[in-house]
Amino acid sequence: MSQKSTLLNRLRGALIPWLLPVAILAAWEIAARVGWLSSRILPEPFAVLKAGVALAATGELWQHVKVSSLRALTGFAIGGGLGLLLGLLTGSFRKVEIALDTTLQMIRNIPPLALIPLVILWFGIDEMAKLFLISLGVFFSVYINTFHGIRSVDPALIEMGRSYGLTGWSLYREVILPGALASILVGVRYALGFMWVILIVAETISAQAGIGYMTMNAREFLQTDVVLLGILLYAVLGKLADVAARLLERHWLKWNNSYSAA
Amino acid sequence: MQIDHRELNEVRSAQGKEKVQAPGLSIGVRQLIKRFGERQVLHGLDLDIAAGEFIAIVGRSGCGKSTLLRLLAGLDTASSGGILLDGQPAEVLKDDVRMMFQDARLLPWRTVIQNIAIGLDGSQREIRERALEVLGQVGLADRADEWPSRLSGGQRQRVALARALIHRPRLLLLDEPLGALDALTRIEMQRLIESIWKQHRFTALLVTHDVSEAVALGDRIVLVEDGRITLDEAVALARPREHGEALFAQRESRVLKRLMTVEAINNRNQIRGRISEIVVDSVLSEVRILTASGLVTSTVLTRSLSEQPLEIGAEVLATFKSNEVVLAT
Ligand SMILES: Nc1ncnc2c1ncn2[C@@H]1O[C@H](COP(=O)(O)OP(=O)(O)OP(=O)(O)O)[C@@H](O)[C@H]1O
Ligand SMILES: [Mg+2]
């Protein structure tokens, strides 16, 4: 009896958050069908779905998603990788910090998107420009958080490691890196969010393939359903990246009470 | 299975041999001075400790106890003076020294058993075997694969103890390891440390703020004041020492009194003189002291007079405190 009621409660708890979105979607669909909303302004949800199915069937959709994702991830790998490397170096070695940090902090103040005109001048409007912008955007959040992560490792633990004979790389692997990991992952999550924003801007400016190309193309032909589909795809991809980062945190930080699944 | 057992026995006998070869380290500290910038923390400290002795170190906060231990552990270097372990410079035998800190300092990202295995070389299986053995000694064998964050403070300290023990230290430095524990857990841990010390016969230095802990564990109690040793008192009580026992309580209060007496002695509030007269009464007695600046009268308990008799004509140091005056010969 009581078991049944808790199950029901759980179900209700899982359903309630979805009530409002479903209601909005329904209202929207109805408004479009009745003719209150012009499909030129906002197509009904069903039309977006249909456009998605049609594009998926021809394979065009996957092609664009693939190009965009690859672009984003390549930029992320380059910028994030460099950020991690330099963050580890400046965090670990005073000399490198003295040599590099001031310069990096100055560059950090420039918003990557403000560089767009210059980047177009340098690389034209092809792939290089987009990768450069994404890398730059991703670089700093990984760099800063790695640097701070390394610096904020508990000195008491480092001293303990030393007194147990850990030196050099073994001290790094056992104490310093794991101690900095939580902060590094925070940087990675920020970077992933930033990665999509910059990707969208870069692709909207110009592209020969990718989700941005698809939506801009559709805009020319007033295919608002495809435009909306593109927007939704960006949202889904962004969410996926976030979920992936969270899973990574759960896995790597499972020792930490605040990350372990309760 | 057969092979397993034989190997295990070999490991055991190897450990047995090590134990015979490696009793405690003897320590000689000579004129040890440590400065941090302008501030001098240790002022020419001398200390001799025999192999296998258990020394309890007490002293006010900031007097340099941790500094002394860190120097012994090789975590810091002395400004001048020397430390000899078994007659050799401290660096030579650094690996035979292990330290236990006030906070357990376990790596939160390593399980209990991985924490114990830190800094050990050897095959995974052998390490695990040994780690489980020491975990068993501290009574936590069943928690081997848990995260440290799931343990209580006392359990964490026991893991830290196991982590130190697995290296078979010949000198174990304990810097207030039990300070953060409740009274019962603390007594339990004291017994554990004592029994392990008896078994392994390493030399032990325990810093504590708890006089009863010092009396319970120390062969000697050493008071550090202002970076010097001002009292070094042997505790000749049979082990194990029970906290409730009369002898123990008597000893504890005596040590406490000595500590307070010695602590009260500093140049600002003392005056040298010679006893001129002792007036004994049933409870309170009076001791008259002739000093350079006149006659001083000190009231003392008759009972303490009988415990520590004074003679007329003896050189004494009269010490003034806000609420009492004590005498030190
Ligand atoms: N790394 C350091 N730099 C500067 N001063 C230090 C350093 N370490 C210790 N000191 C100073 O040395 C003095 C002695 O410190 P120490 O930690 O040895 O005291 P302690 O006797 O262990 O005190 P407690 O009982 O509070 O632990 C203190 O005044 C402290 O401020
Ligand atoms: Mg201390």
Side-chain angles (χ1 to χ4, degrees):
Chain A
M1 177 75 184
S2 71
Q3 226 175 5
K4 219 178 191 176
S5 69
T6 56
L7 199 75
L8 223 82
N9 273 342
R10 268 234 210 111
L11 208 67
R12 209 175 289 156
L15 283 180
I16 286 173
W18 294 100
L19 281 182
L20 193 61
V22 169
I24 290 175
L25 275 179
W28 176 5
E29 181 76 39
I30 291 166
R33 295 241 168 145
V34 174
W36 292 335
L37 260 177
S38 151
S39 71
R40 289 229 182 133
I41 297 169
L42 206 60
E44 75 255 36
F46 193 62
V48 177
L49 194 70
K50 261 199 319 211
V53 170
L55 281 171
T58 63
E60 203 182 325
L61 185 70
W62 307 125
Q63 188 56 32
H64 290 311
V65 168
K66 209 176 93 188
V67 168
S68 284
S69 305
L70 209 65
R71 195 175 271 156
L73 291 178
T74 310
F76 178 79
I78 296 171
L82 274 175
L84 183 68
L85 187 73
L86 286 182
L88 290 179
L89 284 174
T90 48
S92 314
F93 303 104
R94 271 282 158 205
K95 280 190 184 138
V96 184
E97 185 199 348
I98 292 168
L100 280 185
D101 195 55
T102 314
T103 317
L104 290 173
Q105 296 294 348
M106 281 186 326
I107 299 176
R108 184 167 82 107
N109 290 319
I110 305 168
L113 293 179
L115 287 176
I116 286 179
L118 199 61
V119 169
I120 291 177
L121 210 70
W122 288 345
F123 302 106
I125 50 173
D126 65 357
E127 209 55 28
M128 260 318 258
K130 293 183 207 59
L131 288 183
F132 181 84
L133 280 175
I134 295 170
S135 306
L136 197 68
V138 161
F139 173 83
F140 283 105
S141 76
V142 176
Y143 169 75
I144 300 273
N145 284 287
T146 304
F147 175 79
H148 281 301
I150 297 273
R151 275 300 154 82
S152 56
V153 176
D154 186 355
L157 288 182
I158 296 180
E159 186 183 83
M160 184 282 298
R162 286 228 170 86
S163 78
Y164 277 86
L166 299 182
T167 49
W169 169 241
S170 61
L171 184 71
Y172 216 75
R173 196 191 50 212
E174 297 286 327
V175 182
I176 299 177
L177 268 187
L181 197 58
S183 174
I184 294 176
L185 286 178
V186 167
V188 165
R189 257 177 74 187
Y190 273 112
L192 284 174
F194 222 64
M195 171 183 89
W196 291 113
V197 172
I198 295 185
L199 177 82
I200 293 166
V201 174
E203 285 193 339
T204 307
I205 291 167
S206 91
Q208 283 77 47
I211 300 171
Y213 169 77
M214 185 183 84
T215 49
M216 291 317 278
N217 220 18
R219 191 199 49 145
E220 305 253 312
F221 298 104
L222 292 178
Q223 293 169 311
T224 40
D225 46 358
V226 178
V227 172
L228 215 64
L229 180 70
I231 294 170
L232 282 180
L233 277 178
Y234 278 134
V236 169
L237 287 178
K239 182 72 193 168
L240 274 181
D242 198 53
V243 168
R246 263 171 211 276
L247 284 179
L248 220 60
E249 277 180 351
R250 266 230 190 126
H251 176 71
W252 275 342
L253 307 179
K254 56 177 182 268
W255 48 271
N256 192 329
N257 269 335
S258 57
Y259 289 99
S260 61
Chain B
M1 271 326 259
Q2 203 89 61
I3 299 168
D4 268 16
H5 271 287
R6 199 184 312 144
E7 271 184 15
L8 194 64
N9 283 336
E10 272 166 24
V11 170
R12 288 232 174 92
S13 64
Q15 287 164 0
K17 247 180 268 157
E18 239 174 83
K19 238 174 268 169
V20 178
Q21 289 170 347
L25 281 176
S26 66
I27 304 174
V29 176
R30 291 282 165 279
Q31 283 301 305
L32 193 64
I33 289 176
K34 176 68 188 174
R35 283 188 208 91
F36 291 107
E38 287 293 290
R39 169 190 280 134
Q40 185 164 352
V41 177
L42 298 182
H43 298 86
L45 186 142
D46 287 304
L47 180 62
D48 280 293
I49 299 169
E53 240 183 331
F54 200 124
I55 306 291
I57 301 178
V58 294
R60 276 179 195 283
S61 185
C63 68
K65 306 180 297 290
S66 298
T67 305
L68 172 64
L69 255 58
R70 291 170 48 79
L71 290 176
L72 285 168
L75 291 173
D76 213 339
T77 46
S79 306
S80 80
I83 297 173
L84 295 179
L85 300 180
D86 263 2
Q88 304 177 66
E91 302 82 55
V92 181
L93 294 172
K94 208 176 137 195
D95 283 345
D96 288 334
V97 183
R98 286 291 172 244
M99 178 125 158
M100 217 180 133
F101 304 92
Q102 176 163 15
D103 43 339
R105 299 200 185 177
L106 303 179
L107 297 175
W109 44 84
R110 293 277 182 262
T111 60
V112 165
I113 199 157
Q114 288 169 337
N115 262 288
I116 291 175
I118 213 163
L120 283 182
D121 312 309
S123 79
Q124 287 291 323
R125 230 195 48 191
E126 190 193 332
I127 288 178
R128 195 175 163 86
E129 200 98 54
R130 281 174 62 191
L132 280 175
E133 191 192 320
V134 287
L135 257 184
Q137 285 181 27
V138 299
L140 283 176
D142 54 330
R143 313 297 294 266
D145 295 307
E146 280 186 54
W147 300 116
S149 59
R150 297 285 160 92
L151 300 182
S152 72
Q155 290 166 338
R156 278 178 217 175
Q157 279 303 20
R158 281 196 271 167
V159 175
L161 180 60
R163 178 178 62 189
L165 290 177
I166 201 170
H167 293 264
R168 311 191 169 279
R170 301 175 59 202
L171 169 59
L172 185 62
L173 304 168
L174 304 135
D175 194 355
E176 292 179 52
L178 314 182
L181 305 181
D182 65 274
L184 283 178
T185 314
R186 194 185 306 179
I187 289 175
E188 199 182 290
M189 281 289 287
Q190 288 167 8
R191 294 215 173 109
L192 179 67
I193 289 174
E194 186 177 34
S195 74
I196 286 172
W197 167 72
K198 266 188 175 156
Q199 187 191 337
H200 292 264
R201 281 291 156 194
F202 46 77
T203 309
L205 257 76
L206 168 78
V207 170
T208 177
H209 282 287
D210 178 358
V211 172
S212 90
E213 184 169 297
V215 174
L217 292 175
D219 289 325
R220 276 156 63 194
I221 298 177
V222 166
L223 172 69
V224 178
E225 248 184 319
D226 262 342
R228 281 186 204 88
I229 285 172
T230 49
L231 176 73
D232 189 337
E233 166 128 343
V235 183
L237 282 179
R239 293 173 191 271
R241 301 165 180 168
E242 291 295 331
H243 283 262
E245 269 177 17
L247 266 178
F248 184 97
Q250 197 185 330
R251 195 59 190 215
E252 182 184 340
S253 77
R254 221 178 84 198
V255 170
L256 201 59
K257 214 178 283 171
R258 281 293 304 265
L259 288 182
M260 282 162 60
T261 309
V262 175
E263 284 217 318
I265 297 176
N266 67 50
N267 300 326
R268 270 168 279 126
N269 57 1
Q270 65 191 22
I271 192 165
R272 208 162 265 290
R274 197 180 287 277
I275 295 178
S276 63
E277 197 185 353
I278 300 174
V279 185
V280 180
D281 204 344
S282 60
V283 180
L284 289 177
S285 302
E286 285 188 348
V287 179
R288 306 231 156 84
I289 302 151
L290 194 60
T291 70
S293 38
L295 200 67
V296 176
T297 303
S298 161
T299 313
V300 293
L301 284 171
T302 307
R303 193 163 53 86
S304 26
L305 257 191
S306 59
E307 275 171 17
Q308 286 173 312
L310 293 171
E311 282 170 19
I312 292 183
E315 282 267 10
V316 293
L317 206 56
T319 300
F320 301 87
K321 288 175 82 177
S322 54
N323 54 347
E324 58 176 327
V325 174
V326 288
L327 292 173
T329 37

